[in-house]
Amino acid sequence: MHRLFGLRLLHQLVNQNRRRVVVTGIGLVTPLSVGTNSTWNRLIAGECAVDRITAFDASRFPIQIAAEVPRSSWGDLGPCRKINCKKLQDEEFFDATRILGFSEDDKKKTPEFIQFALAASKEALEDANWFPVDATSLERTGVAVGAGITSIPDIIEANRLIESSERGYRRVSPFFVPRILTNMAAGYISMKYGFQGPNHSVSTACATGSHSIGDAFRMVRDGDADVMIAGGSEACIHEVSLVGFSRAKALASSYNDSPQRASRPFDKDREGFVIGEGAGILVLEELNHAVARKAKIYAQVEGYGLSGDAHHITAPRSDGHGAWLAMKRALDMSGLSPLDIDYVNAHATSTPLGDEIENTAIRRLLSLHCGKERNGPSRNGRHPPDVLAVSSTKGAIGHLLGSAGAVEAAFTVLSIFYQTIPPTLNLDCLPSEEFDLDYVPEKAKECRIRAALNNSFGFGGTNASLLFTEPNI
């Protein structure tokens, strides 16, 4: 108790002069829908976006399912694409012409991960009502957007041209290299809106989106910018990536005939993840700056923890120490106690090893919660959950790889804003007694969320955890 009090006092002394950072805008392009409101509504309703692959003929592969962003070019998908799904409205399909004003030539020249990032950024900026024109504001607004995997079709096409004839190399586009650089999404956003603050990009596999948001948070907190557009984007559902992950035995392989049952985080029958795509963008803003312009404030960013497993190129440590360390560092930065955390938006990808290890790390860090009933003050008639709530939204949207952390950070922020926890789909049976938390199976849970952790872990042993709270204005 004395140590906890001392840590809180130290945190207050260290942070009393630090700038506070809030979320004022959200933009989403996901397999459920294009747009934040429609995605959130479908997520909370328990809909699932996993289906048989549309982008190419996957019939010759052992795995034939994915969570694709719905595209207008597909035509009418009908009402049965998702569980309990109402027919998608026109505005819920991705259409770069409608959303971005792109010509057919623009679409060909711009890789899809950049298109997704531009669309999500546009929505986030409109949500935040932030379109500065004065020089100071433009110089104080930056971008931190990354991607986990580059544009695979561009690499395949360049190689095809080179191999097509002795002089085939001359047909390779002079823009080939810029098209495959993962920082180009950030570059395009910066150029489109004239933002001259930090222009930053990371590529840390499935932790990319979280690292981008966390780094942007630090830039605002430390005074490098007043506003940051931060997140991740991914568009790599392709024969090569499907085969690569399949050969690594990372994907769910038994659900080609029942794709909506494939992604099942924490369930005893989980067997691998479902590859997905999309983009998530948050507008992060210094609190006083946001208040001065009367911006809508969704939540506050209070913590950011990073760690490395130093263990294996794909597998996490069996004791979950890396995940524990990332969450602990985020918690320590915030100055909160484990009992202040009401919800964890888990990385849980539906793999046998990863979900179990993350659960171990969560229970270790937040052990005061486990199996303990708690009472806390209500807000708008809603109390904090009696037992720590943990859910994974990957049952609904699959694993979005480099954009997963950003999209799930947006879900975490929306959970705080709407006081509603998204469900974990396909959780029919917990695997052991070690899974003793509230994993919010199948149905969304309405409750007060004072503070929430959002986890993302990537190949190479890279871990990130973000901590969001109710706005403290």
Side-chain angles (χ1 to χ4, degrees), residues 49-93:
V50 179
D51 209 335
R52 296 184 70 86
I53 293 172
T54 304
F56 55 88
D57 181 6
S59 60
R60 61 195 173 111
F61 301 125
I63 296 164
Q64 302 163 12
I65 62 174
E68 298 170 281
V69 169
R71 292 161 171 81
S72 59
S73 58
W74 291 355
D76 187 1
L77 296 181
C80 300
R81 179 171 176 251
K82 307 180 183 77
I83 295 174
N84 301 323
C85 178
K86 295 180 180 178
K87 184 176 179 180
L88 293 173
Q89 302 299 308
D90 289 345
E91 62 271 16
E92 295 185 75
F93 290 89

Side-chain angles (χ1 to χ4, degrees), residues 187-335:
Y188 268 72
I189 295 166
S190 172
M191 289 182 284
K192 179 176 178 61
Y193 298 103
F195 299 148
Q196 299 163 42
N199 190 304
H200 180 65
S201 179
V202 300
S203 184
T204 49
C206 304
T208 295
S210 295
H211 280 138
S212 297
I213 292 169
D215 290 353
F217 154 66
R218 286 181 169 177
M219 291 173 190
V220 176
R221 183 197 65 181
D222 296 344
D224 296 320
D226 293 326
V227 180
M228 290 292 296
I229 288 74
S233 185
E234 198 79 274
C236 68
I237 297 178
H238 186 278
E239 291 99 323
V240 170
S241 57
L242 188 74
V243 169
F245 283 118
S246 174
R247 294 293 294 158
K249 299 187 184 303
L251 301 179
S253 59
S254 303
Y255 294 90
N256 287 337
D257 294 329
S258 54
Q260 294 166 348
R261 304 291 296 166
S263 184
R264 42 197 323 109
F266 300 121
D267 188 76
K268 71 178 182 63
D269 293 327
R270 66 192 187 278
E271 60 174 29
F273 71 81
V274 174
I275 191 171
E277 62 183 354
I281 299 291
L282 300 184
V283 176
L284 304 185
E285 189 167 349
E286 193 275 323
L287 175 61
N288 292 329
H289 188 277
V291 171
R293 67 182 193 86
K294 297 182 173 60
K296 174 173 60 180
I297 295 176
Y298 285 97
Q300 190 158 314
V301 191
E302 288 282 4
Y304 173 40
L306 308 88
S307 72
D309 284 342
H311 174 66
H312 188 270
I313 59 171
T314 59
R317 277 178 52 159
S318 60
D319 60 1
H321 185 71
W324 174 86
L325 200 56
M327 289 188 289
K328 183 179 185 301
R329 287 170 174 168
L331 189 65
D332 288 347
M333 180 183 288
S334 73

Side-chain angles (χ1 to χ4, degrees), residues 319-355:
D319 60 1
H321 185 71
W324 174 86
L325 200 56
M327 289 188 289
K328 183 179 185 301
R329 287 170 174 168
L331 189 65
D332 288 347
M333 180 183 288
S334 73
L336 299 176
S337 82
L339 282 172
D340 293 320
I341 306 300
D342 295 319
Y343 172 51
V344 178
N345 182 284
H347 179 66
T349 62
S350 185
T351 60
L353 184 63
D355 293 13

Side-chain angles (χ1 to χ4, degrees), residues 342-343 374 383-389 421 438 445 447-449:
D342 295 319
Y343 172 51
R374 301 172 301 119
H383 291 271
D386 293 334
V387 177
L388 176 67
I421 297 174
D438 179 1
K445 182 184 185 75
C447 61
R448 183 183 180 189
I449 305 169

Side-chain angles (χ1 to χ4, degrees), residues 94 96 106 122 136 171 203 281 306 332 341 354 364 371 404 465:
F94 185 80
D106 292 331
K122 179 175 181 287
T136 299
R171 298 172 59 197
S203 184
I281 299 291
L306 308 88
D332 288 347
I341 306 300
R364 176 185 170 193
S465 188

